[in-house]
Amino acid sequence: MPARLSPRQILDRLVAFPTVSRDSNLPLIDWVEDYLDSHDVTAQRVWNADRTKASLYAQIGPAVAGGVILSGHTDVVPVDRQPWSSDPWTVTERDGRLYGRGTCDMKGFVALALAAVPLALAADIKRPLQLALSHDEEVGCTGAPAMIAEMARRLPRAAAVIVGEPSRFSVVTGHKGGTGFKVHVKGHEVHSSLIHTGVSAIMAAAPLIDFANRVNAANAARPPAALAQLFDPPWTTLHVGMVEGGTAHNITAADCRFSIEFRVVPGEDIEDRVAEFAGQVARAVGTMQAIRPETGITLERFFSVPPLRPEAKGAAEALVRRLTGDNGIHVVSYGTEAGQFQAEGYSAVVCGPGDIAQAHQPDEYLELSQFNTGWSFMQRLVAVLT
């Protein structure tokens, strides 16, 4: 018989893998695969294009429809330049909290899901427990779609998906959708005293950046739709998070690069917002090329996440309310892989240990009480499947 690892022992192992999105997650995937194999559970990998990363899925129990998917991501955000009080890659317990990168977002949930595997095997469950561990969630949920599509093709259809992002075990039934673009504005350099003969990429970019301010102000002033009222804020938001460009104060900038993201409330079409921005870009290009035809703007879409829409009589919502006792109405403004599962035809909710306020922070932590609540949650889930 393989030795059972406690949820805490598994969490210690997972946090020790520095799976920052810019790096490979394969050492963690190797460990999870070996762990599942030790319990005679076969896992399947879904590779990224250059095979430097992989998602992983597995099924425990009979090959019948009606099971439950436990979904989590394996990547974490960087710790660079953050003032940590302890080693971010070692779980440190202090004052009832488990400190470490990813303890909250979201290796705590993944550890609990993995600890439930031998529990489910011993219980001889009648409906399957399926695991879905993705890569590159933190850079736009880009790793999950291929895994979800393969699970839908190869496994019996699950009745419910639980995406274990930190919600303090509130049952989250809706979240905003999102998309983002990397924008490259190509200008033409001249001495700044002759600005009328050149094109400053920075100055051409400025109205596009300010477009985010104008849209946010207009959306905030408009009465929100009924579904949007549940969100904080109750409108679609645009945000520019990074800008770089220019050579010197007296040279028109040859290049400017910035990223822009859209967080769209359910009920609005993301593509309508994208088209609106593309129209602004086209007008800017026309103005630039009237001066220098070789200038221009390119857009690279680097992520797109569908919203999670509240479901009428959703199976996932009903199950997780039964497991948690939570009957409140909860939505969040960040995106998750739950919207991607729902887009593939699954019933999905977000529910997991910890508080999203701790995600991505220095000294990220998961309260020990939340971790223990998570283990009770898994035990009840296994009982439901038996």
Side-chain angles (χ1 to χ4, degrees):
M1 289 288 292
R4 280 198 190 183
L5 298 179
S6 69
R8 172 60 192 277
Q9 288 173 317
I10 297 174
L11 180 62
D12 288 348
R13 301 283 185 93
L14 296 180
V15 170
F17 295 106
T19 50
V20 176
S21 304
R22 66 190 174 214
D23 301 321
S24 174
N25 72 334
L26 293 182
L28 182 148
I29 292 296
D30 290 342
W31 185 87
V32 171
E33 196 168 56
D34 288 344
Y35 168 84
L36 292 174
D37 184 66
S38 74
H39 293 285
D40 296 323
V41 174
T42 301
Q44 304 295 331
R45 296 189 185 199
V46 182
W47 296 90
N48 69 343
D50 61 6
R51 297 179 74 84
T52 57
K53 301 178 183 180
S55 298
L56 178 148
Y57 67 90
Q59 177 168 288
I60 299 91
V64 298
V68 176
I69 295 173
L70 298 178
S71 169
H73 60 82
T74 61
D75 59 320
V76 296
V77 297
V79 299
D80 307 30
R81 296 181 295 280
Q82 289 189 331
W84 282 75
S85 301
S86 55
D87 182 359
W89 309 116
T90 300
V91 178
T92 302
E93 184 174 341
R94 298 195 306 270
D95 303 320
R97 297 171 174 177
L98 301 173
Y99 289 87
R101 175 56 87 220
T103 51
C104 178
D105 184 21
M106 59 181 300
K107 291 179 177 179
F109 180 81
V110 173
L112 292 165
L114 291 172
V117 170
L119 196 66
L121 291 169
D124 191 25
I125 54 177
K126 301 302 184 291
R127 290 184 291 146
L129 184 67
Q130 297 174 355
L131 302 180
L133 306 182
S134 69
H135 66 86
D136 283 353
E137 189 273 349
E138 296 290 7
V139 291
C141 298
T142 59
M147 174 188 66
I148 295 169
E150 186 166 314
M151 292 178 72
R153 288 195 308 269
R154 300 185 60 177
L155 296 183
R157 173 69 60 155
V161 178
I162 304 170
V163 178
E165 293 280 1
S167 74
R168 300 193 66 81
F169 285 106
S170 295
V171 183
V172 173
T173 58
H175 66 61
K176 292 184 179 182
T179 194
F181 290 89
K182 296 177 182 178
V183 184
H184 178 203
V185 183
K186 180 64 177 175
H188 181 77
E189 289 181 314
V190 296
H191 192 281
S192 60
S193 64
L194 300 172
I195 189 172
H196 63 294
T197 65
V199 173
S200 168
I202 291 176
M203 295 179 71
L208 300 177
I209 295 171
D210 188 54
F211 171 74
N213 290 324
R214 290 183 277 118
V215 170
N216 288 339
N219 289 349
R222 186 181 304 117
L227 180 55
Q229 287 178 354
L230 300 173
F231 289 85
D232 182 20
W235 60 79
T236 290
T237 60
L238 279 64
H239 174 248
V240 175
M242 295 183 292
V243 181
E244 63 176 359
T247 303
H249 74 92
N250 57 354
I251 303 173
T252 57
D255 295 281
C256 181
R257 291 177 169 84
F258 67 93
S259 62
I260 185 168
E261 69 171 19
F262 303 69
R263 294 188 181 270
V264 181
V265 293
E268 291 187 10
D269 190 334
I270 288 177
E271 297 310 314
D272 289 343
R273 294 297 184 180
V274 169
E276 188 179 5
F277 180 63
Q280 297 286 320
V281 169
R283 284 188 283 277
V285 169
T287 300
M288 295 165 63
Q289 292 185 345
I291 302 170
R292 300 295 307 198
E294 68 272 28
T295 60
I297 302 174
T298 58
L299 303 177
E300 177 191 349
R301 195 168 191 165
F302 66 97
F303 79 93
S304 185
V305 180
L308 175 66
R309 303 174 186 274
E311 303 168 5
K313 299 181 179 178
E317 178 182 351
L319 169 66
V320 182
R321 290 197 187 284
R322 175 183 172 187
L323 293 173
T324 63
D326 175 34
N327 291 313
I329 298 174
H330 309 283
V331 298
V332 293
S333 292
Y334 55 84
T336 79
E337 295 167 343
Q340 295 172 322
F341 275 101
Q342 191 180 66
E344 192 66 44
Y346 290 95
S347 177
V349 296
V350 176
C351 186
D355 192 321
I356 194 63
Q358 299 307 320
H360 304 182
Q361 298 298 305
D363 283 348
E364 175 184 349
Y365 67 81
L366 174 63
E367 295 165 61
L368 187 58
S369 60
Q370 282 281 296
F371 196 52
N372 292 337
T373 296
W375 184 230
S376 297
F377 176 94
M378 292 298 173
Q379 291 172 306
R380 289 193 295 273
L381 174 60
V382 168
V384 166
L385 297 173
T386 300

